[in-house]
Amino acid sequence: MSAPPPALDLTAIRADFPVLCQRVHDRPLVYLDNAATSQTPSAVIDTLRTYYETYNANIHRGLHVLSERATAEYEAARRRVAGFVNAAHAHEVIFTRGTTEAVNLVARSWGDAHVNAGDDILLTELEHHSNLVPWQMLAKRRGATLRYVPISPEGRIDLEAYARMFGPRTRLVAVTHMSNVLGVITPAARIVQIARANGVPVLLDAAQSVPHLAVDVQALDADFVAFSGHKVLGPTGIGALYAKEAWLEAMDPLFGGGSMIRTVELHESSWAGLPEKFEGGTPNIAGAIGLGAAVDYVQNVGIDAVTAHEDALTERALAMLSDLDGVRVLGPQDTTDRGGVISFTVDGVHPHDVGTLLDADGIAVRAGHHCAQPLMRKLGVAATVRASLYLYNSPHEVDALAEGVARAKAFFDEH
Ligand code: 7TS
């Protein structure tokens, strides 16, 4: 067994996040909405500032010093992101606006070429709308059918049912790697193995996993992996699609325009090589470079140490919340194959009211359907309160959450 990862130096880490050092409603901010978006360390803010202050320029075209530097930093960021998820080649990482754009890119560029009338696509009942609606749109365009792998009451994928769902017309499996509602971590490697045995490619929605656990795209052997920069300490408006080189080589681009062509004639064009073929137009240069700095930051802390820290906080939160009368935590009740996304309901109190009362205490959570309406229906709830953790959260903040929820419950019991 390898040695456990070192404990995080929370004081030092928190000092790296200027936004955390503020008061909200005259209380210290307790930021527990990391599944929606994460906060930005000074290293990333400084990287963006340096870009705009010293070498803001368009890439892959200028002959001048600024453009050459911007191009070099942009491509270095691609290598950093590729290294972070252990892609075999940097050009297997396509910068996108985020997970949503990455999934849509595959649904269009890959889906339109491979999915036909009568085919089916396997999804699960756990999916975020971003890994559901693009497939509905594809199915409508092509006359295909979506089929959903069932889940257990705590949100575990039924692997036996999954294995039985493959047929001769199954073209793709698209599945989340970590639920943004229940924190369930899906058995991605096993999911891919079973799909591979059936000759079917797999897209992993890694929006919630890449920020919080080691994701090795080669070990997982996934064909497509989508994630967002803003959930992994990076800027908004930047994310990535990892795809195996052979797929990217074979796929047509989604966006036509500058930078993605080799030659353009009046009536036809030929495409540039990878990765430019999929990055038509001026990309989010600053965002990509900022994302490179963000994954560097996470790597310096150590992703296994981040996971261990969040596991400890999750255990504490599960124990404290389950101890409260009338509070029901959804999803797995321990940290086995579970991340720090904790959805719960409070008897007799609407989740939005819990969220509003917590906000008055300076505690930021999300309440609602979390862009997973089919999952909500499956769980038999209209909405939940959701607290989601990251590397800068402290045990003290988990305590503040539990106290805040207890206060909210008591307030509604009295009124
Ligand atoms: N997939 C999952 C599992 C997600 O959690 C999200 C965002 C997305 C896809 C879409 O990512 P985007 O960056 O393209 O928007 N999830 C959430 C959330 O849970 N609350 O706000 C955004």
Side-chain angles (χ1 to χ4, degrees), residues 33 35-37 97-101 128 130-131 176 178-180 205 207-208 228 230-231 366 370-371 386:
D33 195 16
T37 203
R97 278 195 301 133
T99 307
T100 303
E101 184 176 299
H128 184 281
S130 287
N131 193 34
T176 190
M178 191 200 291
S179 163
N180 71 310
D205 172 351
Q208 297 294 347
S228 299
H230 68 98
K231 294 190 202 284
R366 185 172 171 188
H370 314 296
C371 303
R386 184 188 70 182

Side-chain angles (χ1 to χ4, degrees), residues 3-10 13 211-214 297-313 390-393:
L8 300 189
D9 180 347
L10 216 49
I13 287 176
H212 304 283
L213 48 120
Y297 184 92
V298 177
Q299 264 175 328
N300 286 339
V301 173
I303 188 75
D304 291 336
V306 171
T307 310
H309 175 73
E310 290 177 23
D311 277 356
L313 292 182
Y390 211 175
L391 76 174
Y392 36 66
N393 289 126

Side-chain angles (χ1 to χ4, degrees), residues 2 6 12 25 41 90 111 181 214 233 243 276 384:
S2 53
H25 300 307
V181 177
L233 311 183
E276 285 79 16
T384 71

Side-chain angles (χ1 to χ4, degrees), residues 149-344:
V149 183
I151 56 169
S152 72
E154 63 169 25
R156 299 290 182 197
I157 288 177
D158 182 340
L159 273 182
E160 283 176 16
Y162 165 68
R164 285 195 303 268
M165 285 173 76
F166 287 85
R169 303 299 299 270
T170 306
R171 293 290 171 254
L172 180 75
V173 173
V175 58
T176 190
H177 194 194
M178 191 200 291
S179 163
N180 71 310
V181 177
L182 301 174
V184 165
I185 298 170
T186 61
R190 191 76 195 106
I191 287 168
V192 175
Q193 265 175 6
I194 293 170
R196 192 72 67 233
N198 287 278
V200 175
V202 177
L203 175 138
L204 272 189
D205 172 351
Q208 297 294 347
S209 59
V210 159
H212 304 283
L213 48 120
V215 172
D216 178 331
V217 295
Q218 291 186 81
L220 290 171
D221 195 29
D223 297 84
F224 304 103
V225 179
F227 53 97
S228 299
H230 68 98
K231 294 190 202 284
V232 57
L233 311 183
T236 50
I238 189 74
L241 171 69
Y242 158 83
K244 287 186 175 173
E245 181 183 54
W247 284 128
L248 291 174
E249 292 285 6
M251 278 157 60
D252 276 334
L254 176 59
F255 301 118
S259 301
M260 50 72 70
I261 48 81
R262 195 174 310 282
T263 59
V264 177
E265 307 291 339
L266 283 179
H267 297 287
E268 57 187 329
S269 303
S270 60
W271 312 141
L274 299 178
E276 285 79 16
K277 181 169 84 171
F278 292 101
E279 294 183 0
T282 301
N284 183 351
I285 302 165
I289 295 169
L291 175 56
V295 300
D296 267 4
Y297 184 92
V298 177
Q299 264 175 328
N300 286 339
V301 173
I303 188 75
D304 291 336
V306 171
T307 310
H309 175 73
E310 290 177 23
D311 277 356
L313 292 182
T314 303
E315 236 160 63
R316 188 182 186 96
L318 291 174
M320 293 186 87
L321 289 171
S322 317
D323 261 1
L324 298 177
D325 254 2
V327 173
R328 183 165 74 97
V329 176
L330 287 83
Q333 304 292 310
D334 64 38
T335 52
T336 313
D337 295 326
R338 186 203 208 290
V341 181
I342 302 155
S343 269
F344 56 95

